[in-house]
């Protein structure tokens, strides 16, 4: 038996993935703060620090997935979904902002879909030329509630069991499932977004199950029914997204009971110069970036090549035979003699 030290709380599951992305079957724990790096590496982007996690193999470097879909479910340690699962070590909040920035830096002229959504917090982040397609997506709680009572909503197809249409907590949970349905519905009507050359990113945070657990208790029928409905909905959502992208998408689920600390985004302080002096009193050099050796070699060999080119051109100009001068000069000179 193998014993891993650390605090585990949550599970990282791979619902669907293409053949070009290889996840190994094993119980290797993944640090919570490195989950965005897994998403970046599967899409073919570089990361600042190496990821020594055996769960992700190298795969096919020349065929990268066209989309990454990451759904975070709060309020439960694990979900009985189909696919490979890994325990999460140190479940801290994470953000896919770095992946979103990489997509917009490299594919700014194309139409990548970058959708980061947390319905219960009314937090939405959509940028890029593909925005117009998702403008009809319900994002506020009022919009979601109204959407539930429209035609073709999930209320008409889901087996509600012990859940109620008249309870706010239940409606919040169901509205998040409605978002999953609407995303695949919008994408199926605009399939060109899934067939272009730019990679897409979907990051969804669902808190409805957590609220159901707080309202009714985790041993209640409502919580059990909600958990089963969520698993079925996530599996259906994963299959639909996978098919819309022609089998070239990675669909992942992070299930976490609660995060160990609140999400804090790095900000630049106006007092950064004075702070850096205190943090680095010995005036040590900064650590090298992972791209340092690549940039160094590019600059070095380009300078050597330019220097050699200047030497060769200068030598040939200095030793050029006047008899082999420009044909224009010789013809002009001959014309003058004839006159």
């Amino acid at each position: 038996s193998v014993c891993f030290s650390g605090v585990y709380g949550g599970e990282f599951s791979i619902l669907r993935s293409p053949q070009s992305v290889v996840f190994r079957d094993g119980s290797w724990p993944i640090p919570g703060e490195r989950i965005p790096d897994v998403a970046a590496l599967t899409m073919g982007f570089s990361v600042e620090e190496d990821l020594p996690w055996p769960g992700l193999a190298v795969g096919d470097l020349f065929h990268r997935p066209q989309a990454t879909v990451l759904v975070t479910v709060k309020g439960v340690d694990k979900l009985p979904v189909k696919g490979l699962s890994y325990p999460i070590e140190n479940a801290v909040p994470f953000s896919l902002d770095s992946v979103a920035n990489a997509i917009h830096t490299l594919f700014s002229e194309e139409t990548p879909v970058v959708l980061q959504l947390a319905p219960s917090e009314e937090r939405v982040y959509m940028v890029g030329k593909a925005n117009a397609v998702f403008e009809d997506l319900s994002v506020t709680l009022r919009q979601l509630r109204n959407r539930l009572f429209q035609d073709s909503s999930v209320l008409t197809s889901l087996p509600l069991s012990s859940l109620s249409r008249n309870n706010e907590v239940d409606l919040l949970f169901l509205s998040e499932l409605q978002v999953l349905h609407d995303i695949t519905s919008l994408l199926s009507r605009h399939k060109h977004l899934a067939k272009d050359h730019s990679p897409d990113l979907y990051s969804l945070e669902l808190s409805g199950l957590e609220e159901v657990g707080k309202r009714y208790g985790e041993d209640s029928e409502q919580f059990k029914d909600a958990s089963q409905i969520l698993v079925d909905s996530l599996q259906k959502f994963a299959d639909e997204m996978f098919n819309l992208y022609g089998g070239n998408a990675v669909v992942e689920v992070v299930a976490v009971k609660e995060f160990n600390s609140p999400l804090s985004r790095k900000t630049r302080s106006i007092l950064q110069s004075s702070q850096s002096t205190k943090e680095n009193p010995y005036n040590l050099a900064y650590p090298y970036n992972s791209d340092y050796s690549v940039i160094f070699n590019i600059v070095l060999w380009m300078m050597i090549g330019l220097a050699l080119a200047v030497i060769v051109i200068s030598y040939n100009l200095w030793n050029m035979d006047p008899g082999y001068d420009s044909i224009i000069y010789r013809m002009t000179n001959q014309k003058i003699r004839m006159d």
Side-chain angles (χ1 to χ4, degrees), residues 53-256:
W53 182 57
L56 180 63
V58 175
D60 189 345
L61 299 177
F62 300 100
H63 295 89
R64 295 287 86 189
Q66 283 297 103
T68 291
V69 184
L70 178 61
V71 182
T72 302
V73 178
K74 296 167 66 177
V76 63
D77 278 332
K78 59 173 63 179
L79 287 170
V81 292
K82 298 176 183 177
L84 299 176
S85 296
Y86 309 93
I88 297 176
E89 181 183 8
N90 187 26
V92 295
F94 59 87
S95 164
L96 296 185
D97 290 349
S98 58
V99 184
N101 293 336
I103 290 174
H104 282 294
T105 303
L106 298 172
F107 301 93
S108 58
E109 298 302 319
E110 299 182 44
T111 55
V113 177
V114 177
L115 176 63
Q116 294 178 268
L117 185 62
S120 62
E121 299 178 15
E122 297 189 347
R123 178 160 47 87
V124 61
Y125 172 76
M126 286 188 289
V127 288
K129 297 180 179 179
N131 278 2
V133 172
F134 292 94
E135 284 179 352
D136 298 332
L137 193 65
S138 300
V139 290
T140 67
L141 293 177
R142 177 174 291 185
Q143 288 174 340
L144 289 168
R145 184 187 175 92
N146 293 337
R147 176 71 184 90
L148 275 177
F149 293 99
Q150 293 174 1
D151 295 335
S152 71
S153 79
V154 294
L155 288 179
T156 59
S157 58
L158 285 178
L160 299 184
S161 302
S162 59
L163 299 179
S164 171
R165 296 166 177 254
N166 302 318
N167 193 295
E168 289 295 328
V169 174
D170 299 7
L171 289 175
L172 171 64
F173 169 76
L174 295 168
S175 65
E176 292 181 342
L177 304 185
Q178 183 67 54
V179 171
L180 298 180
H181 176 268
D182 288 348
I183 289 174
T184 55
S185 178
L186 286 169
L187 199 57
S188 64
R189 294 202 300 269
H190 300 84
K191 291 182 179 178
H192 65 280
L193 294 175
K195 294 180 179 179
D196 61 9
H197 298 291
S198 56
D200 300 336
L201 177 68
Y202 302 84
S203 175
L204 310 170
E205 187 175 310
L206 309 182
S207 304
L209 186 63
E210 182 182 35
E211 297 301 322
V212 171
K214 290 179 181 178
R215 172 70 175 80
Y216 299 108
E218 295 184 7
D219 295 327
S220 63
E221 286 297 320
Q222 288 89 343
F223 186 79
K224 293 176 183 176
D225 290 341
S227 299
Q228 188 58 50
I229 292 172
L230 179 60
V231 168
D232 295 341
S233 299
L234 285 175
Q235 207 72 56
K236 181 183 177 185
F237 175 69
D239 293 341
E240 289 179 350
M241 293 295 284
F242 190 74
N243 293 331
L244 283 169
Y245 280 92
N248 197 18
V250 180
V251 185
E252 305 160 335
V253 171
V254 172
V256 60

Side-chain angles (χ1 to χ4, degrees), residues 10-49:
E11 198 170 57
F12 177 58
S13 303
I14 313 299
L15 271 61
R16 299 299 297 263
S17 65
Q19 293 181 351
S20 59
V21 179
V22 180
F23 287 96
R24 294 194 180 102
D25 190 3
S27 57
W28 301 290
I30 173 74
E33 68 275 7
R34 301 306 302 273
I35 290 175
D37 290 342
V38 175
L41 289 171
T42 56
M43 299 187 78
F45 300 134
S46 60
V47 295
E48 292 186 1
E49 298 180 21

